[in-house]
Amino acid sequence: MKKKIFNNELLGILYMILCQFSFATNDAMVKYVYQSYNEIFVLNQIIFLRGIFALFFIGLFLFFKKKLDFKIIFSSSQLTIRGLLESFAAICFFIGVATLPFGMVYVLLSLAPIILTTFGALFLNEKVRWRRWTAVILGFAGVVVVINPSELKFGYFFIFPLMAAILLSFRDMYTKKIKGNFHSLQIAFVTCLVVTIFFGLLSLYKIYIFNLNELIILFVSSFFLSLGYIFSIATIKIALVSVTSTFRYSVIIWGILYGYFYFNEIPNTNTYIGAVMIVISGLIIISRQKKLGKIK
């Protein structure tokens, strides 16, 4: 029995790493297409087309799992609101992806669990003791180190991934309140649909004509996006969250590798130091939540 649990935990960790790799690969492809135009408004159409392809993949998976029940999927207005929160977070995130070094975006986005702890204490009356407050302060100090206010090499664009982290924290807080027995991929499907419609409307502002190569890249990117959702669900089902959540930070490594090999981005010392501070902060929070029984 112990061997089986051990193997499940290892498999869960592998799924989490593959999940983060899939999401990072999707984002890298989006950035690649964006750089062909270097116009911020092209992101609207990129995310719209990627969303259409992703809906196909997620819908197909739900169909084979016999979970593609449109009546159930669209019966909750709460899922629509969650999708809108995701849409605004996506705007901020992809502006960050377009304007900042790839690795830096993920470092700043990793502040999300730290922000979630802060919001939990301020808005949900959760008891946060001195160890977690220390971790929160360490995390915010790490952000200051990353953005390096004395230089601001990339201007104030660092605000966008931070805003994305805040919005994702609100999304996660809201998700806890969603009532209904929804499959995780049903939630992902509705979220993806709302995001696709949202960016479809925004893309009407300026329409771009993509070539076949760019369309293929977006098609492949949507496959990796769908794969990321599937691996994230597989991770939760097969292993304890307390075991796998630490490996969410592997996305920083993937981001730095993609930035270095595909976008010729070399992170500075501040990015590395700040990343370590933020990751340590997150690990402390995860450890404390595990001890308090908030995650299993």
Side-chain angles (χ1 to χ4, degrees):
M1 182 62 72
K2 287 184 178 179
K3 185 177 180 181
K4 184 178 180 180
I5 293 173
F6 180 70
N7 289 339
N8 281 349
E9 289 180 349
L10 282 179
L11 193 58
I13 290 169
L14 176 62
Y15 284 161
M16 177 58 79
I17 293 172
L18 289 173
C19 164
Q20 300 307 316
F21 168 76
S22 298
F23 285 138
T25 302
N26 156 68
D27 297 335
M29 290 182 171
V30 168
K31 179 161 184 161
Y32 179 83
V33 175
Y34 163 80
Q35 288 189 333
S36 300
Y37 296 83
N38 203 28
E39 291 184 29
I40 207 71
F41 293 111
V42 77
L43 286 172
N44 296 326
Q45 198 164 320
I46 288 173
I47 300 169
F48 169 64
L49 290 174
R50 186 202 63 166
I52 291 176
F53 295 144
L55 284 170
F56 167 76
F57 286 121
I58 298 173
L60 196 63
F61 190 83
L62 282 172
F63 176 77
F64 285 118
K65 294 282 288 185
K66 297 182 179 179
K67 296 288 185 180
L68 190 60
D69 188 328
F70 291 106
K71 186 176 179 180
I72 294 176
I73 290 174
F74 297 111
S75 64
S76 174
S77 59
Q78 291 177 314
L79 293 184
T80 303
I81 294 173
R82 184 187 187 276
L84 288 172
L85 287 171
E86 183 93 18
S87 299
F88 289 116
I91 290 175
C92 297
F93 173 74
F94 282 109
I95 290 177
V97 166
T99 56
L100 295 172
F102 207 55
M104 181 185 286
V105 175
Y106 288 122
V107 170
L108 295 176
L109 196 69
S110 295
L111 194 67
I114 301 165
I115 293 173
L116 196 58
T117 298
T118 306
F119 284 172
L122 296 177
F123 302 115
L124 300 179
N125 296 319
E126 294 183 358
K127 289 184 179 180
V128 177
R129 302 192 184 280
W130 68 270
R131 288 188 182 86
R132 279 194 288 167
W133 278 124
T134 302
V136 167
I137 293 170
L138 178 64
F140 283 114
V143 170
V144 174
V145 171
V146 172
I147 64 178
N148 194 3
S150 63
E151 290 187 8
L152 285 181
K153 184 178 178 181
F154 298 98
Y156 291 94
F157 285 107
F158 70 87
I159 292 173
F160 289 101
L162 291 179
M163 288 175 63
I166 292 171
L167 287 165
L168 290 175
S169 298
F170 274 122
R171 180 206 64 185
D172 291 342
M173 288 172 61
Y174 186 80
T175 302
K176 292 180 181 179
K177 298 180 179 180
I178 292 178
K179 297 178 181 179
N181 188 24
F182 297 104
H183 187 276
S184 299
L185 271 183
Q186 289 177 332
I187 296 175
F189 184 86
V190 175
T191 299
C192 185
L193 178 63
V194 174
V195 171
T196 302
I197 294 172
F198 184 86
F199 281 94
L201 293 173
L202 290 180
S203 67
L204 294 175
Y205 176 77
K206 188 174 182 180
I207 297 176
Y208 298 83
I209 305 299
F210 295 137
N211 59 41
L212 180 60
N213 181 57
E214 290 163 346
L215 289 173
I216 291 173
I217 290 172
L218 290 178
F219 184 79
V220 175
S221 102
S222 67
F223 172 76
F224 277 103
L225 176 65
S226 306
L227 210 58
Y229 283 126
I230 292 169
F231 277 127
S232 67
I233 293 164
T235 299
I236 294 170
K237 287 188 174 182
I238 203 169
L240 298 173
V241 175
S242 57
V243 173
T244 61
S245 55
T246 302
F247 293 88
R248 287 182 182 276
Y249 293 106
S250 62
V251 74
I252 296 175
I253 298 173
W254 297 124
I256 290 173
L257 289 174
Y258 273 123
Y260 180 80
F261 287 106
Y262 288 95
F263 304 114
N264 298 316
E265 299 169 352
I266 302 176
N268 56 30
T269 305
N270 282 53
T271 299
Y272 286 119
I273 294 173
V276 170
M277 293 171 69
I278 292 171
V279 170
I280 290 174
S281 170
L283 294 180
I284 292 172
I285 290 172
I286 291 169
S287 176
R288 290 301 298 167
Q289 287 179 323
K290 181 180 178 181
K291 287 181 180 180
L292 294 170
K294 292 189 175 182
I295 58 174
K296 296 180 180 180

